[in-house]
Amino acid sequence: MGGHGHGPPYTIPKYTDFQIKGIPQLEELEKALAQKGLKDPWIRNEAWRYHPGFGTKWLRARKLFFRGFGLGLVLTVATVAAERAAGGGGDHAHH
């Protein structure tokens, strides 16, 4: 397995690559848990969400909902223009 003699198509990051130090939201969560006598050993698994390359929650939502919007708008305008140029815009004669 592995396909055509290549190595894996991805590298799995080490668990030590993700630290919560410097991430205010996760540090606050860790302090709140400590006040209750609790500890989350898996909290570092959330650190990637706060990486600048991943973007904010609103930026991710905007990408999700509006991906392809510009291309779709351009193609819609081009389709309407092509129909009107071909004379297909006169649906009024049916009534």
Side-chain angles (χ1 to χ4, degrees), residues 36-76:
K36 296 179 181 182
L38 301 171
K39 183 178 179 181
D40 184 0
W42 299 100
I43 197 170
R44 69 175 180 268
N45 292 339
E46 296 296 316
W48 65 273
R49 296 179 190 271
Y50 299 94
H51 188 275
F54 189 65
T56 64
K57 186 182 295 185
W58 297 112
L59 181 61
R60 291 189 312 261
R62 192 175 79 193
K63 281 184 180 179
L64 175 68
F65 291 114
F66 295 108
R67 181 176 292 153
F69 179 77
L71 177 62
L73 182 63
V74 168
L75 292 175
T76 300

